[in-house]
Amino acid sequence: MENWIGIAVGKMHVNKISQSQIAKILGVRRDYINRILNGTETPKNAEERIMTAIDVIIADRKNSVSE
C-alpha cells in the first residue's frame, strides 16, 4: 500500500469523512474509492484527486460553520 493512502484514511477518520462523500465530490461510485483506498486500483492522479476532495470537504465544513 502506498503511504499517501494511510495519510488519506487517517485524515478521513479524524475529520469524519466517508468514502461516499469523497465519491460524490469526484463524481464516481463509492466502491471505486474503496478499491483505490484498499490499494487494488491505482489510477493516475488518484492521490491528488482524493487528497483535494478531502481538503474541499474540510474547507466547506469550516466555511459553513463560520457563516
Side-chain angles (χ1 to χ4, degrees):
M1 183 184 303
E2 297 182 47
N3 287 339
W4 74 266
I5 294 173
I7 294 166
V9 171
K11 199 168 185 180
M12 289 169 62
H13 177 73
V14 167
N15 291 286
K16 295 179 175 55
I17 297 171
S18 69
Q19 291 179 7
S20 296
Q21 291 171 302
I22 292 172
K24 185 175 181 180
I25 295 277
L26 298 179
V28 298
R29 292 172 40 131
R30 186 206 56 83
D31 62 317
Y32 180 64
I33 299 300
N34 184 271
R35 289 194 307 271
I36 294 170
L37 295 177
N38 283 322
T40 57
E41 189 99 21
T42 55
K44 289 185 178 181
N45 301 324
E47 176 181 2
E48 179 182 349
R49 292 183 70 210
I50 289 178
M51 295 303 277
T52 299
I54 292 169
D55 291 341
V56 165
I57 293 166
I58 293 168
D60 284 350
R61 287 180 182 172
K62 286 182 181 176
N63 288 336
S64 66
V65 169
S66 64
E67 291 178 355

